[in-house]
Amino acid sequence: MQGPPGSGNTTTSQSILEANSLYNSSVLACAPSNVASDSLAVLCIDKELPVTRFGRSVSSRYVDQLLPYAPEQRKEKEMARQGTPAPGGDAWKKHLRVALAGSVAVEPRVLVGTCSSAGTEGVMIELQSHFLLIDEAAQASEPECLIPINQLTPEGRFLLCGDQRQLPPTCTNHEYQELW
């Protein structure tokens, strides 16, 4: 997809997720940044898709809209209100897995988060998806894209979306940067 900002690239991604959520028990949607993930999650929520926003960081721009759909943030806020420190290490990973799995078990979901948080041990390990969409994929490095791809079932499919001219590709090799 190519088009200037505001031309509907992310809305098209949301429509693709909506169509795939009708035929797949779980759909995974990722982006390289929290802001892009949150933007996609908000569009899905606006279309009344059953969304779960995973990962520990929800951008402040969308925090009020996304908090009901982010079980990890809800639990952290609840613990902060009670004055209970968040556990670290394996206890925290287990806690997050239980919070997320409980949310997803209610109904099929569109799981939305960053590419890197898709591989967080203890969070996504039991939630393999049949379809993956990576929005703003031109901004993600190849290894970063492989993290959510690894969460697909063996018969799963994936789609990389993003306008390489709107947001130029991430390139860490100095010799190739001048090509863009």
Side-chain angles (χ1 to χ4, degrees), residues 113-136:
T114 63
C115 293
S116 58
S117 63
T120 304
E121 183 185 351
V123 174
M124 296 302 296
I125 199 161
E126 297 175 17
L127 302 171
Q128 293 209 332
S129 296
H130 302 287
F131 180 78
L132 162 68
L133 182 137
I134 300 178
D135 197 28
E136 305 295 356

Side-chain angles (χ1 to χ4, degrees), residues 119-175:
T120 304
E121 183 185 351
V123 174
M124 296 302 296
I125 199 161
E126 297 175 17
L127 302 171
Q128 293 209 332
S129 296
H130 302 287
F131 180 78
L132 162 68
L133 182 137
I134 300 178
D135 197 28
E136 305 295 356
Q139 284 293 290
S141 65
E142 290 172 358
E144 190 176 14
C145 286
L146 290 174
I147 296 169
I149 290 172
N150 193 43
Q151 295 300 331
L152 288 170
T153 59
E155 62 277 350
R157 299 170 292 131
F158 67 93
L159 179 63
L160 304 177
C161 299
D163 186 347
Q164 79 280 8
R165 294 186 182 173
Q166 187 182 99
L167 294 172
T170 300
C171 182
T172 56
N173 186 317
H174 298 295
E175 293 176 27

Side-chain angles (χ1 to χ4, degrees), residues 34 37-38 53-60 63 66-67 70-77 79 84-93 95-97 99-100 112-114 116-118 120-121 123-124:
N34 279 306
S37 297
D38 291 347
R53 171 61 168 95
F54 64 87
R56 291 184 67 184
S57 178
V58 173
S59 59
S60 59
V63 72
L66 290 174
L67 195 58
E72 297 159 80
Q73 272 76 19
R74 281 197 318 267
K75 191 63 176 173
E76 283 180 356
K77 245 188 168 170
M79 291 175 81
T84 308
D90 290 338
W92 184 242
K93 290 175 187 174
H95 168 75
L96 293 179
R97 183 175 62 233
L100 185 59
V112 183
T114 63
S116 58
S117 63
T120 304
E121 183 185 351
V123 174
M124 296 302 296

